[in-house]
Amino acid sequence: MTAGARRNKLASVLRWSRLLPFLLCAPLSAAELNVLQDTTVDASALNFAAADVNFGQNVNGRTHQRFPISTFRGYQYITYYDSNRNVALGRRKLPTGNWEIIRFADYTITNNDSHNTATLGICALDGTIHLAFDHHKDPLHYRVSSIGVASNPESVAWSTSLFSSVTDTLGPLGAIKDLTYPTFVPAPNGNLLFYYRNGGSGSGDGIIYEYDGSTHN
């Protein structure tokens, strides 16, 4: 990578650093938390076989997996891998609705690597749901819903047809490579931030892009 390219990447990160204070909050103590409900999304969610794993058996619910669950407009959403190694996406109406699960059978993860988690994000401005999955220094695996899917959930029949096919491209940015730890974070202006590590451990760059809900790019 040239020095100029590295400076451009750093500028991209620093450009959005001013947003970080809005994204941080003080942790709650145990005394301030109350369990409202226990719910099981999928009792057969994927675990890797113990005989052939990298970095742990569990690919669902990892500490670095930000964020597999999100709440928006009175609905809760979750993404994970099912027992067929497909990405699954669930939603339920809060507070006690049943989970509706859709499964994307057109993509199957092959690596037994617990880095390769799935994550989701919701853009408040246009109601799109974004998914990124199966990365450990890999090309981007990304799909996005139609506009407004999360804005008026009760008017939408929950189906894989609401989502794009898998792509390695983020809008006008082109193809994204060497990606690990994808993370979607809602921005204060209603847009959606996408963070990931570009490159390998100890030699990577933290990259942040912004999805604009007004232009849908």
Side-chain angles (χ1 to χ4, degrees):
M1 179 183 294
T2 66
R6 188 172 291 276
R7 282 195 298 272
N8 288 339
K9 282 193 171 184
L10 180 60
S12 177
V13 174
L14 293 178
R15 179 184 176 191
W16 303 113
S17 64
R18 69 182 189 275
L19 297 174
L20 294 181
F22 296 93
L23 305 177
L24 301 178
C25 60
L28 296 174
S29 68
E32 297 175 283
L33 298 174
N34 294 305
V35 176
L36 300 179
Q37 181 190 19
D38 286 328
T39 180
T40 299
V41 180
D42 187 338
S44 301
L46 180 65
N47 278 299
F48 296 138
D52 183 22
V53 297
N54 293 310
F55 309 104
Q57 288 179 249
N58 192 354
V59 71
N60 295 312
R62 301 291 296 179
T63 55
H64 61 260
Q65 189 183 8
R66 305 181 184 90
F67 296 92
I69 190 167
S70 185
T71 300
F72 187 72
R73 298 283 178 91
Y75 271 69
Q76 194 169 54
Y77 299 85
I78 190 166
T79 188
Y80 64 96
Y81 298 115
D82 67 14
S83 58
N84 292 322
R85 306 177 74 96
N86 299 140
V87 176
L89 180 65
R91 74 171 187 176
R92 65 168 184 154
K93 186 177 181 180
L94 294 174
T96 58
N98 294 324
W99 286 103
E100 300 175 82
I101 308 296
I102 54 178
R103 306 172 194 273
F104 297 96
D106 60 344
Y107 186 94
T108 303
I109 64 168
T110 58
N111 291 325
N112 288 353
D113 186 334
S114 63
H115 283 80
N116 294 44
T117 55
T119 188
L120 69 88
I122 299 173
C123 178
L125 275 185
D126 68 2
T128 49
I129 302 172
H130 302 247
L131 298 173
F133 43 91
D134 197 16
H135 304 103
H136 191 180
K137 205 172 180 293
D138 291 303
L140 175 66
H141 305 126
Y142 167 78
R143 68 197 322 155
V144 61
S145 77
S146 302
I147 296 167
V149 168
S151 300
N152 299 289
E154 292 189 355
S155 66
V156 175
W158 196 232
S159 167
T160 57
S161 65
L162 297 170
F163 289 81
S164 70
S165 59
V166 179
T167 181
D168 63 357
T169 300
L170 281 181
L173 298 172
I176 307 296
K177 300 180 179 180
D178 296 337
L179 184 146
T180 311
Y181 305 128
T183 303
F184 294 103
V185 182
N189 61 1
N191 289 338
L192 186 67
L193 303 181
F194 181 58
Y195 166 87
Y196 66 94
R197 186 190 75 192
N198 177 246
S201 177
S203 62
D205 294 307
I207 306 296
I208 299 177
Y209 293 122
E210 184 176 35
Y211 172 85
D212 188 333
S214 61
T215 63
H216 318 301
N217 279 306

